[in-house]
Amino acid sequence: MCGIVGYIGKEQAAPILLDGLSKLEYRGYDSAGMAVYDGEKINCAKATGRLKVLYDLTHGGETMPGCSGIGHTRWATHGAPSDVNAHPHFNADKTIAVVHNGIIENYVKLKKKLTDKGYEFRSETDTEVVAHLLDYYYKGDPLEAVTKVMHRVEGSYALGIIFLEHPDVIYSVRKDSPLIVGRGKTGNLIASDVPAVLKYTRDVYFIENEEIARLSAEDIAFFNVDGEPIEKESKTIEWDINAAEKGGYEHFMLKEMNEQPKTVRDTMNPRIKDDQIVIEELGMTDDEIRAIKKIHIVACGSAYHTGVTSKYIFEGLARIPVEVDVASEFRYRNPILEEGALVLIISQSGETADSLAALREAKKQGIQTLGIVNVVGSSIAREADKVMYTWAGPEIAVATTKAYSAQLIAQYLLAIKFANVRGKLSDTEMAAMLKDMKKLPDQIEMLLNNKERIQKFANRYIAAKDVFFIGRGIDYAISLEGSLKLKEISYIHSEAYAAGELKHGTISLIEDGTLVAAVATQDDLFKKTLSNIVEVRTRGAFVMAVTNEGNTEIEKNADYVIYIPQTNKYFTNSLAIIPLQLFSYYVSVGKGCDVDKPRNLAKSVTVE
Ligand code: F6R
């Protein structure tokens, strides 16, 4: 999500910035820009679209003289992709330039305060707040202004900053967004990721949270959030460029799975304030929420599976009837959409043809629509009446992992909010649920750390022909996704079944050694699923069970058990899916499949 590059040294900066940004293209972006100090003023160039547009606009950077600058590729979050919203952003008199990666969560509040003090905003971005806030605090000492801003902003950020009055240095800071500093031969660099600097140096400092770097052409100094000098040691990068783009991970899918704690935090944190859920973009009054008579969730593939999960939550918590449809079916079944209905369209790309058509069908029938979308400015985001973004960042691997996790979170938030507003969930109950929700990122991290155990197990199943996933209730929804993950990247036939349905036909396929993945995280259904486990095991199945910590009695009936930490019963999908993703991933790797680009599949399905 967004790429930052900065250079200060003896060479012309702009071509180096463009080159560095080109190495960050894999992160995804929809506009780009640069600010370069030319000896007198800070010049700026921005362009919507591919980096090539900025390259052509500046003749490969040649038309921007100067040896110090910052560059940025923007993946739109706050505000559509446009030249105005592209970075760098400036204070009013263009003496401070800022590029930013991350999300300033309290930008609305800060923007209001700054506007009250007379600051005028040009863009819709959260980043512009930083430029004006720096201006507000700058009294001649850039370091002081930077630390003050760090104390005021909440959220995640990596920043590159130029002060016209201090043109011989670049400042950079980070919190929860990546940032590295490279010590080059002709000058020093900042970047969001190592590939951007590898052409110039392998001598790199990894900036930790709330650390500040000050770069001049010859020197690099580091400070803590209070502006006190700190020592840092550089590391020599041994990776090749390809590995570096994936942050050292072997595949984008592995990288993206590991980004899930952050994705969940980014989607959740800005919308939870003082034990209340605030979804500003929903634009619905409490009366309007109370008036919702029915929810239709429409999506494809994994996004559809998140809808199957949230049906249980909307119905269980908010007592609103929910229908979940695969978009390609919904659009042609002449759906009955009655007044008071809300249609939720869920899509990572925001471009899935069937989901878009379903959205248009709902609008045609005059029904209010809400998109839960990852890509800002995408067709579904633009056409839906309201859009709630999942802040997962660009997803490169075809098989979704982090966007799926973010979609779940967005729907948890909606369901809990609706339940609370409709009087079905007290403030105290809601606070307890939010407490559990806030634990999810760390719990996901813990499960990800268990990958070696899953890898060993997965290696035993690379030759499997058929795998069955079973579960009841939300566990069935998890099974659907576990099964899809496995089949799409490992090409092993797999099916997901509502556990109780198996004996109505499919159990005839179980033979000696067939792998059955049983998901049993719902306490009220645990005994029932256990019976189904016994049924398949009696017929020779090898059972891998995913259940909650403490359910040790399952060990008598399952051959291999994965425990997930305790959480609210409605959130277990967010945890149980992690070992299933890892399992699919390692089976795929073990089989030597093209994990990130499985055959016949596309990331964005723009045809029906
Ligand atoms: C599976 C997967 C797909 C997508 C589906 C919808 O790993 O990624 O099933 O979930 O194609 O795509 P979006 O969410 O872009 O509408």
Side-chain angles (χ1 to χ4, degrees):
M1 192 191 249
C2 299
I4 289 179
V5 181
Y7 172 82
I8 181 159
K10 298 193 181 86
E11 293 182 55
Q12 190 178 358
I16 294 176
L17 299 180
L18 285 169
D19 178 65
L21 291 175
S22 74
K23 303 295 186 315
L24 299 179
E25 281 193 291
Y26 74 89
R27 297 170 68 84
Y29 68 100
D30 34 51
S31 59
M34 297 187 285
V36 178
Y37 171 67
D38 70 0
E40 255 179 52
K41 58 188 182 314
I42 304 173
N43 293 312
C44 177
K46 297 181 183 188
T48 310
R50 308 307 296 165
L51 196 58
K52 174 88 172 57
V53 186
L54 183 67
Y55 187 94
D56 290 346
L57 184 75
T58 60
H59 295 254
E62 290 306 321
T63 58
M64 292 186 87
C67 299
S68 155
I70 48 180
H72 189 263
T73 43
R74 172 174 187 253
W75 197 78
T77 57
H78 297 68
S82 68
D83 287 5
V84 176
N85 289 332
H87 300 208
H89 289 284
F90 288 84
N91 60 340
D93 57 8
K94 289 197 124 199
T95 54
I96 300 173
V98 178
V99 289
H100 167 221
N101 169 19
I103 295 174
I104 306 296
E105 288 171 5
N106 59 341
Y107 85 101
V108 175
K109 199 162 117 201
L110 292 173
K111 190 169 179 173
K112 163 102 184 39
K113 289 206 163 151
L114 288 162
T115 310
D116 289 348
K117 290 187 193 306
Y119 283 90
E120 281 178 25
F121 283 76
R122 289 172 282 248
S123 75
E124 301 159 88
T125 64
D126 50 336
T127 306
E128 198 181 341
V129 160
V130 178
H132 294 306
L133 205 57
L134 280 166
D135 179 277
Y136 177 71
Y137 285 125
Y138 178 66
K139 305 278 180 272
D141 179 353
L143 187 59
E144 190 190 349
V146 169
T147 56
K148 283 192 170 155
V149 166
M150 288 168 79
H151 281 111
R152 287 306 302 277
V153 296
E154 290 164 18
S156 58
Y157 51 82
L159 300 169
I161 310 163
I162 302 181
F163 291 85
L164 183 62
E165 288 185 10
H166 300 265
D168 49 347
V169 285
I170 292 177
Y171 281 86
S172 198
V173 304
R174 73 156 276 208
K175 181 174 163 269
D176 295 332
S177 286
L179 182 72
I180 57 121
V181 169
R183 189 182 284 282
K185 284 204 174 56
T186 67
N188 296 317
L189 301 108
I190 58 168
S192 300
D193 202 354
V194 172
V197 305
L198 275 188
K199 193 164 156 187
Y200 311 97
T201 181
R202 288 186 169 268
D203 193 11
V204 162
Y205 298 87
F206 288 89
I207 307 302
E208 301 298 335
N209 267 351
E210 305 203 314
E211 288 181 350
I212 304 167
R214 186 181 64 201
L215 287 70
S216 64
E218 291 84 25
D219 195 26
I220 305 171
F222 300 102
F223 305 90
N224 65 17
V225 69
D226 296 317
E228 296 156 352
I230 51 170
E231 296 292 324
K232 287 188 74 71
E233 272 184 31
S234 65
K235 300 223 160 34
T236 307
I237 300 295
E238 314 281 2
W239 319 325
D240 63 19
I241 292 257
N242 269 343
E245 273 194 4
K246 295 174 189 138
Y249 291 103
E250 206 180 329
H251 297 102
F252 280 111
M253 183 177 171
L254 185 59
K255 177 171 182 274
E256 287 159 6
M257 283 192 286
N258 277 286
E259 284 169 356
Q260 288 178 110
K262 177 175 184 319
T263 295
V264 166
R265 255 183 223 113
D266 285 351
T267 304
M268 172 174 70
N269 286 357
R271 291 162 172 139
I272 300 179
K273 288 177 188 132
D274 305 326
D275 283 341
Q276 292 292 320
I277 296 173
V278 184
I279 310 174
E280 272 152 16
E281 60 273 45
L282 192 60
M284 273 184 164
T285 63
D286 286 358
D287 279 345
E288 283 166 340
I289 291 174
R290 279 190 279 269
I292 297 171
K293 291 207 175 69
K294 187 170 186 177
I295 298 176
H296 294 263
I297 303 179
V298 189
C300 300
S302 298
Y304 165 78
H305 297 158
T306 68
V308 178
T309 302
S310 73
K311 173 181 165 71
Y312 292 102
I313 314 180
F314 279 114
E315 292 191 339
L317 273 185
R319 306 304 295 156
I320 307 175
V322 177
E323 263 186 58
V324 197
D325 274 84
V326 167
S328 52
E329 289 296 315
F330 179 87
R331 63 183 292 195
Y332 292 120
R333 78 169 166 87
N334 195 8
I336 302 167
L337 303 175
E338 290 178 340
E339 211 187 312
L342 170 69
V343 172
L344 274 187
I345 307 282
I346 303 162
S347 176
Q348 186 284 129
S349 61
E351 300 296 347
T352 303
D354 285 318
S355 304
L356 184 59
L359 167 72
R360 289 177 180 156
E361 173 64 31
K363 287 185 79 179
K364 201 168 85 193
Q365 295 198 30
I367 302 300
Q368 56 177 337
T369 55
L370 170 66
I372 296 185
V373 179
N374 196 40
V375 177
V376 174
S378 57
S379 303
I380 295 174
R382 287 197 314 273
E383 293 190 29
D385 296 321
K386 298 280 161 29
V387 58
M388 180 176 177
Y389 285 112
T390 49
W391 303 124
E395 201 175 50
I396 313 285
V398 165
T400 182
T401 52
K402 62 174 182 169
Y404 171 86
S405 283
Q407 287 164 353
L408 284 175
I409 295 295
Q411 288 168 88
Y412 297 166
L413 290 168
L414 274 180
I416 297 171
K417 171 143 191 100
F418 285 7
N420 179 251
V421 170
R422 293 163 74 102
K424 306 283 184 208
L425 188 74
S426 69
D427 280 356
T428 319
E429 288 164 328
M430 179 164 74
M433 286 192 84
L434 294 180
K435 199 168 157 210
D436 276 343
M437 230 173 128
K438 286 184 190 156
K439 287 185 197 152
L440 289 175
D442 289 341
Q443 293 174 326
I444 292 173
E445 186 122 42
M446 214 186 82
L447 289 161
L448 287 164
N449 288 340
N450 201 15
K451 55 183 172 304
E452 273 157 30
R453 179 170 176 250
I454 310 243
Q455 180 173 17
K456 275 197 202 124
F457 179 70
N459 283 338
R460 288 163 52 186
Y461 279 91
I462 54 179
K465 287 218 163 41
D466 302 290
V467 179
F468 294 89
F469 288 75
I470 58 169
R472 288 167 179 259
I474 284 182
D475 292 335
Y476 170 55
I478 303 170
S479 302
L480 286 169
E481 178 60 7
S483 168
L484 180 64
K485 280 287 86 81
L486 182 68
K487 72 177 80 153
E488 68 182 331
I489 60 170
S490 75
Y491 317 141
I492 292 175
H493 167 251
S494 83
E495 286 185 54
Y497 265 84
E501 180 67 10
L502 205 62
K503 58 174 156 304
H504 295 283
T506 310
I507 201 162
S508 64
L509 293 172
I510 305 290
E511 46 188 49
D512 237 13
T514 306
L515 179 62
V516 173
V519 187
T521 69
Q522 301 296 299
D523 286 345
D524 50 341
L525 299 167
F526 183 73
K527 289 253 168 344
K528 304 274 171 211
T529 307
L530 208 56
S531 307
N532 301 126
I533 291 176
V534 173
E535 282 161 13
V536 292
R537 208 153 168 251
T538 316
R539 284 154 184 86
F542 185 96
V543 175
M544 160 170 102
V546 182
T547 191
N548 306 329
E549 261 166 21
N551 285 346
T552 47
E553 79 176 276
I554 208 165
E555 290 184 21
K556 285 189 228 123
N557 298 304
D559 302 281
Y560 180 85
V561 182
I562 299 163
Y563 291 104
I564 61 162
Q566 292 289 346
T567 186
N568 183 286
K569 67 172 181 178
Y570 290 118
F571 303 154
T572 57
N573 190 344
S574 293
L575 302 179
I577 198 60
I578 305 297
L580 299 183
Q581 291 172 346
L582 288 168
F583 174 71
S584 305
Y585 171 77
Y586 285 117
V587 171
S588 175
V589 171
K591 285 187 72 172
C593 301
D594 189 348
V595 178
D596 286 335
K597 292 196 199 82
R599 69 186 180 207
N600 306 338
L601 293 177
K603 185 69 186 158
S604 185
V605 186
T606 52
V607 289
E608 71 168 295

